[in-house]
């Protein structure tokens, strides 16, 4: 007797054989098909090891100096919202965040600001809005250097 | 009467399916984004309309109730549940990101449903009328997902995945992007660069160790390890897959009775 049953040869167990067959067949199908539900190779952050990343850019929104959510505001007044989309510049320089959701956020923030401009007759909003990138650089010895680059400054009103 | 672990297992797998469905509803693109696209000849915008989604959810709940309550597998119920997720996945894939837009939360519950469906098909005179075959097939496919999660990291980046700089950088980015979430813990990890490779190797070890899930006696221990990994990933980088945790525990407990249920 073994810990697992009557034999140390796991494949003597019909249940193990059944599950192992499913692992091999489904696993092979995932390898052949790639990403197509229900097949996947689970590529979550799998590319991190392809090159050692020493720089990253994280988009942040500050409302009156405090980090906040742009989705709570509207009637923006400021420069062209295209200034909020340095994604292509980031990618060209290899300076982007690790998270696809973060990298898409600058597009979402830019779209949010662009689609909610203040009317000409509106006064400036009571809140100062800044959209910035925090450039994170890994230094030798495990330390990190942070440098903030503001890409858009304007005003806004809270959403009604 | 169904053995107790079998009942617990079906409840947990059912909960996993329900959570995955909620995530799927959240991830489905809106009609404006879908435009004129179609899925199986049906306008996609119509498929994501509120009435259709409500009916689909009611159908899912009815099928889930039958799945949980019945002590024997019913192929139409299992196939119906899988089909609902398959259609939602095709809708999500209409996003400009394509297949990459499909939320990974639904993959494990989805593939379990597929395996249970296959396992439920009975030939004439087949003496096996219970869940055992489907549960073991589902465990094998679940194992494959975890093994692939580890293997692809090594395939795409070799051992570089565990290099010191990568994981702390990942966690540091999250500290900046989410200043209200577990900052103290995340900062503590970032300030200890030696933890980076250690955590990376632990994750790789657990994922590749998913092969152990094919052995019924090792399913509960692996479920413990996988739960710890998922909780750690959730705390440090904010990606939580409760539907995967529920599904693994469901299969692990179900396996204890699957031979007799």
């Amino acid at each position: 007797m073994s810990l697992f049953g009557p034999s140390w040869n796991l494949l003597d167990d019909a249940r193990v054989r059944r599950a192992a067959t499913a692992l091999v067949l489904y696993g092979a199908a995932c390898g052949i098909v790639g990403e197509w539900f229900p097949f996947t190779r689970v590529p979550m952050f799998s590319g991190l090891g392809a090159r050692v990343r020493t720089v990253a850019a994280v988009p942040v929104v500050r409302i009156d100096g405090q980090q906040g959510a742009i989705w709570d505001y509207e009637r923006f007044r400021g420069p062209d919202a295209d200034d909020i989309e340095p994604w292509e510049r980031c990618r060209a320089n290899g300076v982007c965040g690790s998270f696809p959701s973060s990298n898409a956020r600058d597009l979402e923030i830019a779209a949010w600001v662009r689609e909610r401009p203040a009317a000409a007759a509106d006064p400036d909003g009571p809140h100062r809005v800044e959209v910035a990138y925090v450039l994170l650089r890994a230094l030798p010895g495990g330390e990190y250097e942070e440098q903030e680059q503001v890409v858009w400054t304007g005003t806004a009103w809270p959403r009604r | 009467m169904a053995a107790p672990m079998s009942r617990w297992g079906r409840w947990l797998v059912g909960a996993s399916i329900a959570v995955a469905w909620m995530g799927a509803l959240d991830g489905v693109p809106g009609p404006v984004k879908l435009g004129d696209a179609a899925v199986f000849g049906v306008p996609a915008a119509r498929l994501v309309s509120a009435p259709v989604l409500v009916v689909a959810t009611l159908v899912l709940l009815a099928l889930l109730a039958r799945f949980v309550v019945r002590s024997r597998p019913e192929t139409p119920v299992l196939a119906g549940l899988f089909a609902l997720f398959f259609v939602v996945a095709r809708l999500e894939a209409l996003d400009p990101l394509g297949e990459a837009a499909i939320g990974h939360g639904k993959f494990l519950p989805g593939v379990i449903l597929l395996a249970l469906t296959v396992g439920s098909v009975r030939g004439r005179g087949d003496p096996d009328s219970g869940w055992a075959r489907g549960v073991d097939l589902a465990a094998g496919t679940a194992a494959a997902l975890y093994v692939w999660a580890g293997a692809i990291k090594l395939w795409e980046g070799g051992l570089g995945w565990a290099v010191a700089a990568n994981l702390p950088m990942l966690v540091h980015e999250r500290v900046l992007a989410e200043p209200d979430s577990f900052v103290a813990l995340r900062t503590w990890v970032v300030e200890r660069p030696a933890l980076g490779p250690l955590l990376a190797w632990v994750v790789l070890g657990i994922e590749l160790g998913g092969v152990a899930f094919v052995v019924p006696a090792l399913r509960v221990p692996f479920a413990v390890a996988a739960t710890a990994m998922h909780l750690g990933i959730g705390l440090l980088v904010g990606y939580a897959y409760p539907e995967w945790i529920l599904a693994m525990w469901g299969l692990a407990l179900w396996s204890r009775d699957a031979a007799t249920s």
Side-chain angles (χ1 to χ4, degrees):
Chain A
M1 284 290 286
S2 79
L3 183 64
F4 308 109
S7 166
W8 279 105
N9 183 352
L10 294 173
L11 293 179
D12 283 345
D13 185 333
R15 297 188 62 195
V16 174
R17 284 201 304 275
R18 193 183 290 152
T21 302
L23 183 157
V24 170
L25 290 179
Y26 175 67
C30 290
I32 294 167
V33 172
E35 301 305 305
W36 198 86
F37 186 87
F39 304 103
T40 178
R41 299 173 195 164
V42 201
M44 287 186 262
F45 298 106
S46 54
L48 276 184
R51 60 186 175 89
V52 177
R53 298 180 66 253
T54 59
V55 226
V58 180
V60 295
V61 172
R62 298 198 195 286
I63 310 293
D64 299 326
Q66 301 293 319
Q67 203 159 337
I70 197 114
W71 331 115
D72 295 335
Y73 297 85
E74 61 181 8
R75 289 187 281 163
F76 296 94
R77 175 165 287 134
D80 195 325
D82 286 351
D83 290 349
I84 302 174
E85 297 180 27
W87 163 242
E88 292 303 320
R89 276 209 306 277
C90 282
R91 191 156 54 182
N93 296 327
V95 181
C96 290
S98 307
F99 297 86
S101 56
S102 296
N103 294 332
R105 194 173 298 156
D106 65 338
L107 296 172
E108 293 169 5
I109 294 171
W112 187 267
V113 171
R114 189 181 298 117
E115 291 166 11
R116 290 161 183 79
D122 281 338
D124 283 352
H127 298 285
R128 176 181 166 85
V129 177
E130 283 182 339
V131 181
Y133 276 79
V134 178
L135 301 174
L136 191 61
R137 186 182 304 275
L139 301 173
E143 299 290 316
Y144 286 89
E145 178 188 79
E146 291 179 24
Q147 190 180 28
E148 190 161 303
Q149 186 179 78
V150 177
V151 297
W152 191 92
T153 304
T155 60
W157 291 84
R159 283 182 74 190
R160 286 174 278 218
Chain B
M1 177 183 277
M5 287 299 177
S6 178
R7 198 179 319 121
W8 272 108
R10 287 204 304 285
W11 272 102
L12 287 171
V13 171
S16 167
I17 293 167
V19 172
W21 182 253
M22 286 192 290
L25 292 182
D26 188 49
V28 156
V32 172
K33 211 171 187 178
L34 290 170
D36 296 328
V39 173
F40 305 118
V42 179
R46 190 182 302 171
L47 288 174
V48 301
S49 65
V52 171
L53 292 179
V54 167
V55 168
T57 301
L58 292 173
V59 168
L60 178 120
L61 291 174
L63 293 175
L64 257 189
R66 199 156 173 98
F67 163 74
V68 168
V69 166
R70 297 289 289 178
S71 59
R72 279 179 165 51
E74 294 175 309
T75 305
V77 170
L78 296 165
L81 285 167
F82 175 76
L84 285 168
F85 278 99
F86 185 78
V87 171
V88 165
R90 299 313 339 134
L91 288 169
E92 284 187 62
L94 293 173
D95 185 278
L97 287 174
E99 300 292 327
I102 300 176
H104 272 85
K106 68 177 67 61
F107 273 89
L108 180 53
V111 84
I112 287 173
L113 285 169
L114 180 63
L116 291 175
T117 304
V118 170
S120 70
V121 175
R122 296 286 182 263
R124 192 178 302 171
D126 189 333
D128 180 0
S129 61
W131 286 100
R133 187 157 61 196
V135 171
D136 290 329
L137 292 178
T141 55
L145 281 176
Y146 279 92
V147 172
W148 257 117
I152 195 166
K153 291 177 174 73
L154 296 175
W155 183 346
E156 291 194 1
L159 297 178
W161 200 86
V163 158
N166 282 333
L167 275 193
M169 173 75 86
L170 202 66
V171 178
H172 203 150
E173 288 178 60
R174 261 324 194 221
V175 170
L176 294 171
E178 297 177 0
D180 298 330
S181 301
F182 307 112
V183 172
L185 172 65
R186 293 174 180 177
T187 303
W188 188 86
V189 169
V190 168
E191 290 172 348
R192 287 156 182 78
L195 279 181
L198 176 65
L199 291 173
W201 281 113
V202 167
V203 167
L204 276 173
I206 291 174
E207 288 175 339
L208 295 172
V211 68
F213 209 64
V214 302
V215 181
L218 295 178
R219 287 175 190 167
V220 168
F222 182 76
V224 172
T227 300
M229 181 186 73
H230 284 297
L231 289 177
I233 291 171
L235 287 171
L236 292 181
V237 295
Y239 283 109
Y241 289 102
E243 52 272 69
W244 282 51
I245 298 175
L246 290 167
M248 294 304 280
W249 277 103
L251 289 179
L253 295 180
W254 200 347
S255 293
R256 294 166 73 88
D257 286 338
T260 56
S261 66

